Amino acid sequence: MAKYKMILDLDTGVDDALALAYAVGAPEVDLIGIISSYGNTLVDTAAQNSLDLLHLLGADDVPVFIGESHSSTTDHFDVMNISQLIHGKNGIGDVTLTPSPRQVEKETGVDFLIRAAHDYHEDLILVPTGPLTNLAAAIKKDNQVAELIGQTTLMGGALTVPGNVTPFTEANIHQDPEAADFVFTHQKNLTMVGLDVTLRTLLTKHETAEWRHLNSEAGEKFASLMDFYIDAYYNLDIDKRGAALHDPLAVAVSIDPTYITGLPLNMRVTYNTENGDYGRTIGDKTQLLSPTTSKAAVLVDTDRFVKDFQNMMLTVLK
């Protein structure tokens, strides 16, 4: 019996697809819905990717909701060229999936999150792996959301290592620093799983070859999209040793926080466009003496996580 209810907030690219598969397979959680976001791809594409991946995994019972289509300070969103090089033009390594028979829900992602927070309280886990625009919008619409959600574990930020967009800024935070700051300064029980730890968790084609050996459609498709990602890491000189398991690590940590060592810290996100201090995740010096329920992951049990992740994928992709 699942102990927790989980919502994923995905801008469904390659590592989001891995996070989705991990959540589908985890016996500790009941995946009750996916909210789509923008980032690796457009919000509608992200939603369809999630539906099609759920269909591939035999999880058509999981609903998908459309979230915000652009940041809280803009009126549109264009996918960056670098995102297409890393995730493919369709967000999932240019792999073609069988379309899901299910459609996206009519209820908005923000309203679904608010409803779920009131329904499940401390039993609800939220895992945003893209920009934090949806969560910020939910809190602004109903400030009880910040207190009700039992645990929010986000993939984003960089505290002890350089960012991957600027020397200070990680990609998900860079999409909407203003929303991220609002979330960091309002949401209770928040864990930041950033580049500090995700860059230590690498997957190689040795593991994806094992997925192919399952002789299943899911194994073949997931291996193809992950190989695209690994090749992009190599060709773009991001990391020639393998590709980082950014988003699945956040899902794993939300279920088992012993994977990481966390630093208790009240954090905020900078968004000063005049001096260029934009999108940095940092301790909030005005709250250094205040109690905290938030933390930043600074170390990860790399070997245990990568092994457990691979075992989970071999089970899910059968």
Side-chain angles (χ1 to χ4, degrees):
M1 179 99 181
K3 185 178 180 182
Y4 300 105
K5 305 293 183 181
M6 177 178 283
I7 296 173
L8 299 178
D9 185 328
L10 309 177
D11 57 331
T12 310
V14 173
D15 55 327
D16 306 78
L18 304 184
L20 183 154
Y22 195 101
V24 167
E28 301 92 341
V29 296
D30 175 17
L31 182 60
I32 63 169
I34 293 174
I35 302 171
S36 67
S37 188
Y38 62 93
N40 296 325
T41 188
L42 300 174
V43 67
D44 290 337
T45 305
Q48 192 61 50
N49 285 348
S50 292
L51 282 170
D52 296 347
L53 288 163
L54 289 166
H55 182 56
L56 177 65
L57 295 170
D60 286 319
D61 57 317
V62 180
V64 175
F65 302 81
I66 297 286
E68 300 296 294
S69 62
H70 53 79
S71 79
S72 59
T73 60
T74 60
D75 58 9
H76 75 286
F77 171 74
D78 296 317
V79 181
M80 293 188 297
N81 182 58
I82 187 65
S83 298
Q84 295 186 358
L85 291 175
I86 294 172
H87 295 273
K89 292 183 178 179
N90 70 349
I92 47 174
D94 292 335
V95 172
T96 301
L97 300 179
T98 300
S100 170
R102 184 161 186 166
Q103 303 297 310
V104 296
E105 304 301 306
K106 289 186 170 62
E107 185 179 22
T108 69
V110 169
D111 286 343
F112 165 64
L113 178 56
I114 293 170
R115 176 167 60 84
H118 282 275
D119 285 347
Y120 299 112
H121 299 217
E122 68 275 4
D123 292 330
L124 179 63
I125 296 174
L126 173 67
V127 185
T129 66
L132 293 171
T133 312
N134 291 325
L135 178 53
I139 300 170
K140 290 176 181 179
K141 189 170 183 177
D142 182 346
N143 59 18
Q144 293 184 66
V145 168
E147 303 275 351
L148 288 173
I149 298 173
Q151 175 61 40
T152 299
T153 303
L154 66 97
M155 191 282 124
L159 188 66
T160 64
V161 297
N164 56 3
V165 175
T166 76
F168 307 105
T169 308
E170 180 275 331
N172 290 332
I173 300 298
H174 186 261
Q175 298 286 7
D176 196 346
E178 290 84 356
D181 184 60
F182 187 84
V183 168
F184 273 54
T185 55
H186 288 79
Q187 185 65 38
K188 306 300 180 185
N189 303 318
L190 185 76
T191 298
M192 183 182 91
V193 177
L195 300 180
D196 316 84
V197 287
T198 63
L199 291 176
R200 303 171 192 253
T201 62
L202 300 176
L203 205 75
T204 71
K205 290 187 177 180
H206 171 76
E207 285 83 16
T208 60
E210 294 184 350
W211 301 357
R212 292 188 194 277
H213 290 158
L214 294 171
N215 292 320
S216 67
E217 183 183 6
E220 184 66 30
K221 295 291 188 180
F222 269 85
S224 294
L225 64 87
M226 188 60 188
D227 283 349
F228 182 100
Y229 197 57
I230 293 168
D231 287 342
Y233 264 61
Y234 188 92
N235 295 332
L236 295 169
D237 203 22
I238 298 171
D239 199 320
K240 294 187 181 298
R241 299 166 298 176
L245 297 169
H246 299 292
D247 296 347
L249 179 60
V251 174
V253 169
S254 76
I255 298 168
D256 182 0
T258 66
Y259 280 120
I260 56 101
T261 299
L263 174 68
L265 185 66
N266 288 313
M267 290 174 282
R268 64 167 307 236
V269 179
T270 61
Y271 53 91
N272 190 321
T273 56
E274 293 184 3
N275 65 11
D277 187 7
Y278 191 74
R280 184 169 51 120
T281 49
I282 194 72
D284 184 351
K285 67 180 181 180
T286 69
Q287 298 296 322
L288 293 177
L289 298 180
S290 302
T292 178
T293 63
S294 62
K295 61 184 177 183
V298 292
L299 294 173
V300 59
D301 189 340
T302 300
D303 292 342
R304 180 166 73 96
F305 168 68
V306 174
K307 179 181 178 181
D308 289 351
F309 171 79
Q310 179 66 355
N311 288 336
M312 177 71 80
M313 292 300 287
L314 290 173
T315 298
V316 174
L317 299 178
K318 282 181 181 178

